[in-house]
Amino acid sequence: MIDWHSHILPNMDDGSHSVAESISLLNLERSQGVSVVVATPHFYANDESVDSFLSRRTVAMNKLKADTTDGLPQIILGAEVKYYHGVSRMEGLSSLRIEGTKLLLLEMPLSKWTEFMIRELFELSAKSGIQVVLAHVERYWKLQDHSTWARLSECGIMFQANASFFASFSSRRRAISLLKDGKIHIIGSDCHNLTSRPPNLAKAFDIIRKKLGNEYVTQMNEYGDFLLEAIRQ
């Protein structure tokens, strides 16, 4: 399994606060059958430059690599980029993609999106070398019109959902329905810590397996491997 969204790097954001905590998170991921963890620390353009962020990320990764042992999931670097007006024209945006891929994880505002925002997503998705992935879409789903989601899908924008969307009894039926309809493309734990927001992919995939069958889960994992093919070469 691939965890497509995590805050597992130490001292980068509101996620892991130490190397020891990061290693514990990775061990928990491994125990759940996760083989690849995409590290997506928050990037806020109003707070720091791309170069500063990348420098901090490299330091965090090097500290973690120095203390990790064999057998832990592979870590792939990325970012969770917070949307702002003009993000499509930000210098260095491509360097925030998930490494080795075109995927750019974008966090949208928790509000009804304006036509300007939607058109900027179109502009961003039209850029060469960038595949837009909207983070934890379950947070925004009811805030937008059905036509908005249809337009975004037609433009080729991908949607990432959190494992908690499937794990929660109150939302799992909706999550399964969206997954079956092709409106969820990848799943991440969005883990931050070992207590309130731990890795939870295993529970989500157990529910998917129960509702849709083991073959469906196998196909999801194969699709994830396909998206990361550039890294594996």
Side-chain angles (χ1 to χ4, degrees):
M1 286 190 294
I2 300 171
D3 186 348
W4 286 99
H5 184 166
S6 78
H7 297 271
I8 210 161
L9 291 182
N11 303 118
M12 278 297 296
D13 53 17
D14 58 342
S16 171
H17 289 101
S18 68
V19 170
E21 184 175 14
S22 295
I23 292 174
S24 294
L25 288 167
L26 287 168
N27 274 310
L28 188 52
E29 295 263 29
R30 175 178 61 180
S31 72
Q32 296 181 17
V34 175
S35 58
V36 175
V37 176
V38 182
T40 52
H42 290 289
F43 172 76
Y44 304 116
N46 290 334
D47 294 342
E48 68 178 324
S49 67
V50 172
D51 286 344
S52 172
F53 172 84
L54 295 177
S55 178
R56 288 197 306 115
R57 194 182 67 176
T58 297
V59 169
M61 183 64 178
N62 287 341
K63 287 181 178 179
L64 184 55
K65 285 171 62 177
D67 278 28
T68 52
T69 58
D70 292 338
L72 289 179
Q74 176 188 3
I75 300 174
I76 295 173
L77 297 176
E80 181 180 5
V81 180
K82 188 173 181 62
Y83 172 87
Y84 69 94
H85 283 194
V87 65
S88 61
R89 296 179 291 281
M90 183 176 72
E91 290 188 15
L93 186 63
S94 61
S95 61
L96 300 176
R97 297 173 301 182
I98 296 172
E99 63 177 340
T101 77
K102 298 179 180 181
L103 305 178
L104 180 74
L105 189 65
L106 191 67
E107 180 181 23
M108 295 296 290
L110 287 173
S111 62
K112 183 174 175 58
W113 304 333
T114 65
E115 183 62 23
F116 179 92
M117 294 177 184
I118 295 168
R119 289 186 178 276
E120 185 157 35
L121 288 178
F122 294 159
E123 182 179 345
L124 184 55
S125 67
K127 284 185 173 294
S128 176
I130 290 181
Q131 169 64 62
V132 177
V133 181
L134 300 188
H136 38 60
V137 291
E138 68 276 7
R139 298 184 185 180
Y140 328 120
W141 201 266
K142 293 182 179 180
L143 298 173
Q144 319 307 325
D145 298 330
H146 290 301
S147 60
T148 297
W149 295 112
R151 292 169 66 194
L152 295 175
S153 293
E154 289 170 3
C155 191
I157 290 173
M158 295 174 60
F159 307 137
Q160 177 261 314
N162 283 358
S164 57
F165 190 36
F166 294 86
S168 172
F169 181 79
S170 62
S171 60
R172 67 180 55 166
R173 180 177 295 182
R174 179 62 169 160
I176 292 294
S177 176
L178 291 173
L179 183 65
K180 283 179 62 178
D181 290 345
K183 295 174 181 175
I184 293 174
H185 302 97
I186 55 177
I187 301 173
S189 70
D190 197 5
C191 65
H192 282 62
N193 51 53
L194 293 165
T195 53
S196 60
R197 299 179 70 177
N200 56 354
L201 274 187
K203 185 174 182 179
F205 274 85
D206 283 347
I207 290 166
I208 296 169
R209 187 176 290 106
K210 180 180 178 181
K211 298 294 184 179
L212 302 179
N214 190 64
E215 184 177 348
Y216 196 97
V217 172
T218 300
Q219 290 174 352
M220 289 182 65
N221 289 330
E222 289 175 350
Y223 177 64
D225 289 342
F226 169 77
L227 290 177
L228 293 179
E229 184 178 355
I231 293 173
R232 298 181 185 278
Q233 290 178 347

